[in-house]
Amino acid sequence: MATHHGLDLGPDRDLDALPLRERKKIQTGVRIFRAAIGLFIERGFDQVSVAEIAAAAEVSKMTVFNYFPTKEDLVLGPMEQHLDEPARVVRDRAPGTSAVTALREHFLAALERRDPATGLSDDPVVLDVIRLIHATPALALRATAAFDRRAQRLLADELRDQDPAHDELTARVAAAQLLAVRLTLITGNHLRMLAGERAADALPGALDEARRAFATVEHGLGTYCAGPARGSADPA
């Protein structure tokens, strides 16, 4: 999983290397997160109270809110830690590297790691979160708005700062295209995982689709779909 308020919710972090206080903080956050997801999957997001989550995690309600300010944050908070990731990738790219290349290579590397942020993860907890978002309109709406507004604004601002020779419209259009590619690929990977595919088996196809999708942005649509409209008469 990802981080939330500095908490690593994934299984791979080496907690033993951390100071005791930080280790306990992370462990408490993970316990709250996993208790919440388990209850939401069992009974539905709207049917579970924060008090019940606190009881399941053996903490107080105040502790839950200290880690996750809203009930929606219990599901979406870890994912939303990635909203500034595209902007950071562009900002930290090597000199002479285009924004498209930087984002493509970053996404491909994340796919190879089966990073949940790419959608290509068959970890049971990750799949539970995806199912929960799909089944809960309020969560799906917030997730869509986060990507459409916050992530796009952050990336557009970074693109404009990095290339002031182009106007703001160009930066906004570029950000929208690049994020649409990422979101399309992530959604496709989610569907693969929800259909029961193993992440390792789906990886080659996911890598191929990612290369093709970013190439479309890099080279432009050009004359795509320039043929006769459907139903038009053939020329005599």
Side-chain angles (χ1 to χ4, degrees), residues 75-229:
V75 180
L76 296 172
M79 295 176 61
E80 289 178 351
Q81 294 300 301
H82 289 273
L83 291 180
D84 68 340
E85 191 171 79
R88 285 190 287 107
V89 170
V90 169
R91 183 171 60 251
D92 297 339
R93 74 193 189 283
T97 303
S98 71
V100 177
T101 298
L103 288 167
R104 181 188 65 226
E105 295 308 308
H106 179 269
F107 194 84
L108 291 174
L111 281 174
E112 294 278 9
R113 300 192 305 271
R114 264 79 107 199
D115 188 328
T118 68
L120 195 72
S121 172
D122 49 18
D123 179 273
V125 176
V126 175
L127 291 177
D128 281 345
V129 171
I130 295 170
R131 291 189 187 98
L132 190 59
I133 293 171
H134 280 244
T136 311
L139 294 175
L141 183 62
R142 172 167 158 175
T144 301
F147 279 99
D148 286 350
R149 298 175 189 171
R150 291 168 56 191
Q152 187 170 324
R153 185 186 69 250
L154 289 168
L155 180 56
D157 288 346
E158 189 63 43
L159 290 170
R160 188 182 64 249
D161 292 343
Q162 292 282 333
D163 192 357
H166 289 90
D167 61 16
E168 182 176 349
L169 176 62
T170 302
R172 293 205 313 267
V173 170
Q177 289 179 326
L178 289 164
L179 289 180
V181 166
R182 282 173 53 92
L183 186 56
T184 299
L185 294 170
I186 292 167
T187 300
N189 291 332
H190 281 168
L191 294 176
R192 287 187 175 101
M193 298 300 95
L194 292 176
E197 287 192 53
R198 293 178 63 249
D201 295 336
L203 177 61
L207 288 168
D208 177 66
E209 286 191 357
R211 293 187 182 100
R212 289 166 50 205
F214 278 102
T216 299
V217 174
E218 187 172 29
H219 302 299
L221 293 175
T223 59
Y224 174 71
C225 209

Side-chain angles (χ1 to χ4, degrees), residues 16-32:
D16 292 337
L18 298 174
L20 178 61
R21 184 174 180 178
E22 185 176 353
R23 184 163 70 244
K24 287 186 174 181
K25 180 180 179 182
I26 290 171
Q27 290 170 336
T28 299
V30 171
R31 189 167 70 250
I32 294 169

